[in-house]
Each structure stands twice: as structure tokens, then as C-alpha cells.
Amino acid sequence: MTSFSSRLKGRCSSYVNGLSHRGRMAICGVAAVAAAVACFQAAPALAGQASRAIGDDVLARHEVRDTVSPRGIHIDLYDYWLSGEKEADNKNPDGYLNMGVNNVAGDRKQLAFGRNTRGGINNWTGSAAPYANIVQRTLGPDGYPWIEAGHQYLQGDTANLTTPQSLKYLFDGTSFDGKRAYLGTTGLLQLDGDGYYYYDSKQNFATYQADRNAFTLYDAGAVADGGRDKQFGEFFPFNTGRNVFKGESAQGKLQSDIASTNALMKHYFGLTLSTNFMQPADGITKNGKEMVFEFAGDDDVWVFIDGVLVGDVGGIHDRTGLTINFATGEVYTYDGSLGGNPDTHYNPTTIKRMFRAARGDAFDAAQFDGETFRDGTYHTLQFYYLERGNENSNMALKFNLVNVAESTMTKVDQLGNPVEGATFDLYATDASYNVPADAAPVATGVTDHAGRFSFTAKDGSPLSFMRLYHQDGIANYVLRETAAPAGCRRSPDGKL
């Protein structure tokens, strides 16, 4: 493990923790290390949150043991609340639009969390149809989704139109009275025989355990729909197995009869997933399958690729499906509700059309072949998910993106908190670690909300140390921080 530190009394001290060389451990002579994260606290139980009659020994028999946490697929979880982290949230407290995550440090937010909220972007759509264009077509200058101007929302009983507003407060690594962030979580995904990573709340109830910073999956779904959709198997990661399961059936299967509207259920949360991938030949994976990214659930979901909004499932709605097909370029959402018609597609489009609309004059047609990406190109996918409607909450993910070998690093401060916005250059050197004055970096990177980044080569591809070693014989590097966030001192050069 390579670790560098710089301290500055009274200011932000920083550490570069855990440069992980995928496939290069023999070269470095060090073990690959997991990203460092802030110290975790146990997720608090709701006030009065009860455990049911089922015992921990019974639950342990039903834990799923074959979950996977692939390096390069980053999943972060966020807990939000209104009146209090431990308070039941099945009813709106008085003045809820000015509380907790709805009002951060006196800044009233336009995207509202609550039960039966009203007005435009905060109103239930009445079906599985999403509310399109809540967020702008590209990530904002801070690297997060931004609210699009011109949509209606209510402030009290007064109708207003939205103005551009960053959603960084929901998805960055900070915690405040209204939000707690859990970064670098593990254990949510499984891998099937055809190469698809997947999670489906209908099949596996998932509970998050903060002391392990990991999900535990059970071999059965739990929680009944308390609304109109009546689908069984919901996603409530801040509830425990003892909250939702009542026991075993005569056949030894877990049973659950609690409804999503029960006061025990913990609503209001978010999840992000990010990964780099490569477009395979003709969009077909080595398993002979079309490369896809699929989602089904509620509420808001936005999928950005290279900073462009490609999958738009915004709004408070019934279960909605999303398919992004990288072989054909097709992108569509569909009715995923019980009894709904999956052939009912909303806003069908293509990857190329979404990029052309978002990039305008900067659109690069050379990066495309037909309606999809050109073979061999490298891309970054960012998935944003919110549960803010306070009723049902279900989620299914399935994807077989062709991941690429990458080298990642995490920067944290002296308290273990992630440092966002630090810029690094990586230089290839001789055995003495000399960096010539005119040397150009072989890779660059900027830390994200979790303090991590993947080194990016000049062609936009994720850097592979193994590839550089075999192609060019490079075995020594200097890591140099070129810009530090306000209040932080740059780390000294690191020798790798």
C-alpha cells in the first residue's frame, strides 16, 4: 500500500490512501487495497421500530452467500429524513417542506420528499409514466445532475417555476441534518451464468448494515405494496430482516406480510452506481449477449453516460422499466406496474439522439456507429436513484457492461472523510523517479464525491498499469497533486 500525507494545522490535511493497481500487484510488490472511506456509524433504528418474532438464527439460514462486489463498480447509499433520522416517516410532519433534506441550511429545495406531495415535479404522475426532463441534459459544472428550469412545483400553496439547482446535496459524500452518506458499499449484486450483474427486490430483500458498510440479501422478497400497484417485494435498505419477515412457512420459506405504508418502514433514500465500460464489437459481449443496462422500479432514476442524460425515469411514479441497448442503440422506458403493458413505451429514443440533443454543435459523430457507440470506445456510466414519494419502493437492476481494467485511488482528509475535487497527474519515470520538466502525464484524474477517481489515459480510456508495463516496460511512476480543493493543502509527490 502506498500512502502519502501532508498536514497543515488548522486547515484540511489530506491523505492519498490506496492506489490500487489492478493486475499489477507483482510489479508494485504491494497488495491492492480497497478505497478508504469515512468511519461508519450504525444506521439508527426508527423510533419505536420493532423487531418481529423471527430469530436471527432463522434469518441467517436465508442469507444469500454468493453476492459480488466487482472492483470498478461503485455503489453509494444515502439516507434522507425530514423531522429526524430516527423518526417514523409515514406521515408528513407539520412544515415538512421546510425540514431536513427539503431545506438544507435554510435553502428550500425544489425537489421535495414527502407523502402525497403536490405540484409538478413533486406530484405523483398517476401511472408508470415518468416525468421527463426534470434534470438537465448534461451533468452540471459540479459533476452532478441539475434541475431544469421551467417546471412547476409548489412552495406552500403558491405555484412556482423551477430554476437551475444542483442535486449535489443529495449525491455527494457529505452528511448533515437530513442526510447521511454511506460510500463504497458492497454486497448488493449477484452474477448469473450469462455474465449479467443483477439485483431484484422482488427476489431478494436487501438490508444495509452500516457496521460492515455492506448489504445483506435474503433468499426471498419482502414487503407488500401499500398503494395501487400491488406488487410484492420492495426495496427498503434501512429496514432489517427482523422488521419485515414474520417467520418461515411450513416449507421453510421466509414469509412477509408488512406493507410499504407501515410506520416501521424507512422511506427517503438514494443510491448511485458508477462504472467505466468499453463498447464491444457490434455491442455483443463475450457471452454472445447484447450489452444492456436495465432498471425497473420507482421513483426518480437518471442514467448519464459520459455526462449526457441517456435514461430518464424521473418523477414519482409507479414501477417503470428502462432499457438501454448498446447493440442497437435503443433507449426506452415502459410500464412495469402490475397488470401494465410492457409494450407501452414512453419517450423511445436512441443513445446517438440523446448525445446529439445534449451536445449540439459539440456532438462528435465519429464516436458513433449507427445509433450506438463505435466499437472499442470507452465510456463512463452514472446511475442516480431516489425514493422520495413515501409509499412503494422497488428496484431491479440488470446489466452486462464490459468493464475495463483500471487503476483507482482515494483521497481522504485526516478524519477519514473523502476529499472531492482534487486533481492528480501521473508521470512515468525512470528507476530514480525523476520527472523531467517537459514531461507530459500519462494519466490524469479528479476525485469524485467519495474522494476516488480512476486514472484516465489521453485517449479517454481507463489507465491499465498492466497494459503500460507490457507495451512500454513502464514500472515506475510519480503521482502529483496539481490542484487541491479550497482549504486543503496539496499532497506531496508519491513514488509508485
Side-chain angles (χ1 to χ4, degrees):
M1 174 176 178
T2 307
S3 179
F4 323 111
S5 66
S6 62
R7 296 179 181 272
L8 185 62
K9 188 174 182 180
R11 301 180 66 190
C12 168
S13 301
S14 59
Y15 299 84
V16 176
N17 273 40
L19 184 66
S20 170
H21 300 175
R22 196 170 179 186
R24 186 179 177 263
M25 291 183 287
I27 299 172
C28 293
V30 296
V33 293
V37 294
C39 296
F40 294 98
Q41 302 180 31
L46 294 177
Q49 190 178 66
S51 296
R52 311 186 91 189
I54 193 168
D56 290 339
D57 58 333
V58 176
L59 288 171
R61 292 200 299 267
H62 292 275
E63 289 182 11
V64 175
R65 306 293 182 181
D66 61 349
T67 61
V68 295
S69 301
R71 181 173 300 176
I73 298 177
H74 308 292
I75 298 177
D76 302 320
L77 184 66
Y78 308 89
D79 187 14
Y80 311 119
W81 61 88
L82 300 176
S83 59
E85 189 173 9
K86 298 181 182 180
E87 298 300 316
D89 60 17
N90 59 314
K91 295 181 180 179
N92 292 333
D94 292 341
Y96 74 99
L97 292 177
N98 291 303
M99 302 172 69
V101 73
N102 286 337
N103 191 321
V104 181
D107 181 14
R108 164 71 188 277
K109 300 303 182 181
Q110 298 170 99
L111 200 68
F113 291 72
R115 184 170 178 80
N116 297 323
T117 54
R118 297 179 297 123
I121 62 173
N122 300 317
N123 202 45
W124 174 49
T125 66
S127 69
Y131 193 124
N133 305 315
I134 290 178
V135 297
Q136 296 176 8
R137 289 177 170 173
T138 60
L139 293 176
D142 57 1
Y144 293 89
W146 279 58
I147 297 290
E148 181 63 271
H151 292 290
Q152 187 184 75
Y153 77 103
L154 290 181
Q155 194 162 26
D157 291 324
T158 304
N160 292 274
L161 293 180
T162 56
T163 57
Q165 185 178 72
S166 174
L167 299 185
K168 177 179 178 179
Y169 71 100
L170 293 175
F171 298 117
D172 69 4
T174 62
S175 295
F176 52 82
D177 185 15
K179 173 195 169 191
R180 191 179 298 279
Y182 300 95
L183 308 179
T185 65
T186 60
L188 182 63
L189 301 175
Q190 298 179 74
L191 178 65
D192 72 14
D194 290 322
Y196 293 94
Y197 294 106
Y198 68 96
Y199 169 74
D200 188 348
S201 61
K202 288 186 174 182
Q203 304 299 320
N204 304 106
F205 181 76
T207 181
Y208 173 72
Q209 295 183 308
D211 57 342
R212 299 190 302 113
N213 194 32
F215 290 89
T216 293
L217 303 189
Y218 295 101
D219 59 11
V223 186
D225 188 323
R228 64 185 289 273
D229 198 8
K230 303 305 177 188
Q231 298 199 57
F232 181 84
E234 306 224 352
F235 184 59
F236 284 97
F238 292 105
N239 284 98
T240 68
R242 296 191 70 184
N243 293 153
V244 301
F245 292 112
K246 66 178 183 178
E248 291 179 306
S249 69
Q251 292 74 36
K253 295 182 179 181
L254 285 174
Q255 293 183 305
S256 174
D257 60 2
I258 195 169
S260 62
T261 50
N262 190 291
L264 292 179
M265 303 313 299
K266 178 67 173 70
H267 299 82
Y268 309 142
F269 47 83
L271 183 144
T272 59
L273 180 152
S274 60
T275 189
N276 296 315
F277 68 95
M278 184 188 73
Q279 178 77 6
D282 300 320
I284 305 298
T285 70
K286 65 180 182 180
N287 292 321
K289 305 294 183 181
E290 293 182 333
M291 190 170 76
V292 297
F293 185 92
E294 298 177 340
F295 162 83
D298 63 281
D299 292 312
D300 310 274
V301 159
W302 300 292
V303 180
F304 288 81
I305 300 177
D306 301 337
V308 171
L309 180 64
V310 172
D312 187 356
V313 198
I316 299 173
H317 48 74
D318 293 344
R319 183 181 174 94
T320 306
L322 165 69
T323 294
I324 302 173
N325 187 313
F326 295 91
T328 65
E330 292 177 290
V331 179
Y332 58 89
T333 53
Y334 60 90
D335 187 345
S337 62
L338 187 66
N341 183 359
D343 294 327
T344 300
H345 291 183
Y346 308 108
N347 307 315
T349 185
T350 69
I351 297 171
K352 184 178 181 178
R353 288 179 206 163
M354 296 299 280
F355 268 74
R356 187 187 296 276
R359 294 276 174 84
D361 292 341
F363 173 72
D364 184 5
Q367 295 298 305
F368 291 84
D369 182 3
E371 295 301 315
T372 192
F373 295 124
R374 181 170 54 84
D375 293 350
T377 52
Y378 295 89
H379 308 278
T380 299
L381 181 144
Q382 293 165 279
F383 167 89
Y384 297 88
Y385 168 89
L386 289 174
E387 197 295 304
R388 62 186 179 95
N390 196 309
E391 192 173 273
N392 301 321
S393 171
N394 49 79
M395 185 178 77
L397 286 169
K398 183 178 180 181
F399 57 94
N400 59 346
L401 303 178
V402 176
N403 297 112
V404 291
E406 61 183 31
S407 301
T408 62
M409 192 204 77
T410 296
K411 179 169 181 173
V412 298
D413 64 18
Q414 73 274 23
L415 300 178
N417 299 312
V419 176
E420 180 178 9
T423 303
F424 288 87
D425 285 342
L426 185 72
Y427 295 91
T429 72
D430 57 23
S432 298
Y433 295 99
N434 296 313
V435 180
D438 59 350
V442 296
T444 60
V446 180
T447 55
D448 65 10
H449 66 284
R452 67 189 171 225
F453 67 81
S454 298
F455 288 108
T456 303
K458 295 177 182 178
D459 63 358
S461 64
L463 182 75
S464 167
F465 283 96
M466 181 64 77
R467 184 176 61 191
L468 286 176
Y469 179 71
H470 285 298
Q471 289 181 355
D472 304 317
I474 302 173
N476 299 286
Y477 301 87
V478 165
L479 177 66
R480 177 168 295 167
E481 186 170 3
T482 58
C488 292
R489 182 178 180 178
R490 286 187 297 173
S491 304
D493 286 356
K495 298 177 181 180
L496 313 179

